[in-house]
Amino acid sequence: MKTFGFTIIFIIVTVISSCTSLTNQSIETNQPKDIEINQSKDIEILSSFERTISNIVEQSKPAVVSVKVIKDELKDNKKIETSGGGSGFIIRNDGYILTNEHVVRGSKKITVRLLDGKTYDARLVGGDQNTDIAVIKIDRRKELPFLKLADSSDVRVGQFAIAIGDPIGYRYTVTAGIVGGKNRCFHEKNNLFQYHQNYIQTDAWINPGSSGGPLLNIEGVVIGINSLNPGEGSTLAIDCGLAKKISQQLINHGSIIRGHLDAEMRSVAQGIKLTNVKQNTTASQCGLKQNDIIVEFDGKKVTGINDFEMTIIECQIGQQYPIKVLRQKQEISLDLTIDEMRPELVGRSIRTESVTWKTIGLATRQWVFGSYQRYAYLNEDDRGIIVEKVKKNSPGVEAKIPRGALITAVNGQKIQDVETLETYLDNEKDISEITLDFISTQGTQKATIKLIN
């Protein structure tokens, strides 16, 4: 019985299949021209798309470059020379190039190779470790082809994305996919201030060495800088809006200067709660206390910690902004002076071996022309060096020299760079004190400092 039943089922399936086959043959016989026309249209559409991609690649490749770097690294307590590199793309016809900061970090020599094989020495205009964006520049008399950066608000999930890079051994590799997501986060464990939601997710795969290359839309405009390959079939590109803002600041100032509220915070229903307010900061000096809840900043309601931190970053250093807090259910109005973000949060290390740090407890950095625009208390004629950090229990603390002050002179001698103060302190080892002229939020001041011998 089981065999008979199986045979009946087999016959029924065979008959149905035969009928279906005959029906399909009938349709194919009656409408061959329609199918040919549809196939032709499909091929035409695919061919048009294929040509579009190829044309974008051909038009964009001359502005995509290979970046080679030479660095000195310590290995077994010995300094050895190493090489590495990545990709980049020209953003102005006078030779400014965007790439990843990690590609050029610590480099002592940078070389750029163009599509035609010609190589040029490049100089580092500026790098920002927080966003992994750097600008380098080459000099050439002839104008260079360049790529435009898109408006980030125009980038849409689902649109086509084309990645071009120049990894070593696989010159001008092209991959394509779609934008899988916007406003993605990727936080490595480090001490840097973390930007939130600044990546575009795409399945346009990138190869080692493609970091710093462009991610293009179907019009050949840059929507991101290819940066990370965390795996799982996706890559991450730095959003074009952030790339545009950071690169312009690097070109104008050579570095990124960020405002900061030096306190620990977390989001709550009413606003932002201060879980710890650090002493000897502008936050504590303005009257902010632990457990205060910030509900309004500069006349606008505070809604979340991410947006608040991004707002503070863009504020002028040393500028006072009105702020409202809830303290034990009472609303209090204060004036908050914005700090500059501490060096460790932006990836700058302190030179603890410097004479200035050892003798007076000050860590300083070079003043960059044009940076005055980020400081409320400085102007374009000011020159000197910026105090980045003041060592605890040091002569600098006793002299009340604040972080962010611009030192303009030592014992009446003008200071133009960090080496000037270093050399002065190193040569004058017999003196017991010095007088520094500096500019801070309190105006122009003088301070006499006793030296540590």
Side-chain angles (χ1 to χ4, degrees):
M1 291 294 293
K2 289 182 180 179
T3 304
F4 178 79
F6 177 82
T7 304
I8 294 296
I9 293 171
F10 177 79
I11 293 170
I12 292 170
V13 171
T14 304
V15 170
I16 292 173
S17 299
S18 300
C19 292
T20 304
S21 178
L22 288 170
T23 304
N24 290 338
Q25 287 177 8
S26 176
I27 293 171
E28 288 174 5
T29 303
N30 294 334
Q31 298 177 340
K33 292 183 179 179
D34 291 343
I35 292 174
E36 288 179 6
I37 291 171
N38 289 336
Q39 287 178 340
S40 178
K41 287 181 178 179
D42 291 342
I43 292 172
E44 185 179 340
I45 291 170
L46 290 173
S47 296
S48 177
F49 175 70
E50 186 180 68
R51 285 193 300 271
T52 300
I53 297 294
S54 296
N55 289 340
I56 289 170
V57 172
E58 289 304 312
Q59 292 168 9
S60 303
K61 280 170 61 176
V64 180
V65 304
S66 174
V67 180
K68 183 180 179 181
V69 299
I70 296 176
K71 307 177 183 181
D72 284 332
E73 294 184 359
L74 285 176
K75 187 175 183 180
D76 298 328
N77 294 323
K78 292 182 180 180
K79 186 183 288 188
I80 61 172
E81 192 175 88
T82 62
S83 62
S87 303
F89 57 98
I90 305 167
I91 56 172
R92 285 180 19 175
N93 61 12
D94 54 353
Y96 284 96
I97 296 168
L98 259 181
T99 187
N100 283 142
E101 190 275 340
H102 75 259
V103 170
V104 295
R105 185 184 308 157
S107 58
K108 68 176 185 179
K109 184 178 181 181
I110 306 172
T111 305
V112 167
R113 182 178 59 185
L114 304 183
L115 178 63
D116 59 11
K118 293 181 180 178
T119 60
Y120 298 85
D121 289 335
R123 64 179 176 86
L124 178 64
V125 176
D128 179 39
Q129 195 170 340
N130 292 70
T131 56
D132 197 19
I133 296 172
V135 176
I136 60 178
K137 189 178 187 303
I138 61 174
D139 295 317
R140 195 173 82 160
R141 291 181 181 179
K142 186 179 178 181
E143 289 188 351
L144 291 160
F146 64 95
L147 297 176
K148 294 181 180 179
L149 290 163
D151 186 332
S152 59
S153 62
D154 293 334
V155 179
R156 295 172 297 127
V157 174
Q159 74 175 75
F160 288 109
I162 306 161
I164 305 180
D166 193 28
I168 298 173
Y170 298 94
R171 293 210 66 195
Y172 289 92
T173 297
V174 179
T175 57
I178 62 169
V179 173
K182 294 176 61 177
N183 305 323
R184 300 304 197 207
C185 293
F186 183 84
H187 291 168
E188 293 181 305
K189 292 182 179 180
N190 54 45
N191 294 324
L192 297 179
F193 172 81
Q194 297 293 352
Y195 269 73
H196 301 277
Q197 303 172 339
N198 61 314
Y199 286 106
I200 293 172
Q201 176 190 341
T202 175
D203 58 352
W205 196 254
I206 61 171
N207 301 279
S210 292
S211 294
L215 184 70
L216 305 164
N217 63 16
I218 203 71
E219 297 175 349
V221 179
V222 178
I223 60 174
I225 305 174
N226 299 316
S227 299
L228 297 169
N229 191 337
E232 303 300 328
S234 291
T235 57
L236 298 175
I238 300 167
D239 174 77
C240 55
L242 183 62
K244 187 183 295 185
K245 181 173 67 175
I246 296 298
S247 62
Q248 193 58 55
Q249 291 182 25
L250 289 174
I251 291 171
N252 290 342
H253 310 310
S255 61
I256 307 298
I257 300 166
R258 295 181 171 89
H260 189 57
L261 172 58
D262 213 344
E264 295 175 14
M265 304 172 282
R266 65 181 176 88
S267 294
V268 293
Q270 302 99 314
I272 296 171
K273 186 174 184 177
L274 302 179
T275 56
N276 182 30
V277 179
K278 298 185 178 181
Q279 297 300 311
N280 301 318
T281 62
T282 57
S284 62
Q285 291 165 3
C286 89
L288 285 175
K289 297 181 178 181
Q290 185 176 348
N291 294 324
D292 282 350
I293 299 175
I294 301 173
V295 295
E296 188 177 292
F297 178 80
D298 198 23
K300 296 179 181 179
K301 185 179 179 181
V302 173
T303 55
I305 193 168
N306 292 350
D307 291 340
F308 179 67
E309 287 181 328
M310 293 301 107
T311 299
I312 294 293
I313 277 176
E314 300 299 329
C315 290
Q316 267 198 310
I317 313 301
Q319 180 68 46
Q320 283 191 339
Y321 294 86
I323 189 170
K324 289 183 180 180
V325 301
L326 288 178
R327 181 179 298 165
Q328 296 178 348
K329 297 183 179 180
Q330 289 187 335
E331 189 172 274
I332 300 172
S333 296
L334 301 169
D335 289 321
L336 172 65
T337 302
I338 300 299
D339 271 325
E340 181 175 351
M341 193 173 282
R342 288 180 279 116
E344 59 267 29
L345 293 178
V346 295
R348 288 197 295 267
S349 58
I350 298 301
R351 294 173 56 195
T352 55
E353 78 285 355
S354 71
V355 180
T356 307
W357 182 258
K358 291 178 179 178
T359 57
I360 58 179
L362 299 181
T364 60
R365 76 165 188 269
Q366 188 62 45
W367 173 249
V368 179
F369 179 76
S371 295
Y372 74 92
Q373 296 172 344
R374 295 292 291 121
Y375 296 86
Y377 49 92
L378 300 175
N379 61 61
E380 60 181 329
D381 297 323
D382 292 324
R383 296 290 185 275
I385 56 178
I386 288 283
V387 177
E388 283 215 290
K389 192 171 185 177
V390 185
K391 188 193 296 185
K392 291 181 179 179
N393 304 318
S394 68
V397 170
E398 294 177 5
K400 297 181 178 180
I401 296 178
R403 192 167 63 88
L406 181 73
I407 300 174
T408 59
V410 52
N411 286 350
Q413 178 182 327
K414 289 186 178 181
I415 294 178
Q416 297 291 339
D417 50 44
V418 173
E419 286 68 31
T420 301
L421 182 57
E422 285 283 294
T423 302
Y424 187 92
L425 292 172
D426 198 38
N427 292 340
E428 302 292 339
K429 293 181 179 179
D430 296 333
I431 60 177
S432 59
E433 62 181 33
I434 59 171
T435 299
L436 294 180
D437 293 7
F438 64 93
I439 306 170
S440 70
T441 54
Q442 304 302 313
T444 301
Q445 299 173 270
K446 286 181 182 289
T448 299
I449 303 177
K450 293 183 180 180
L451 302 180
I452 299 174
N453 296 322

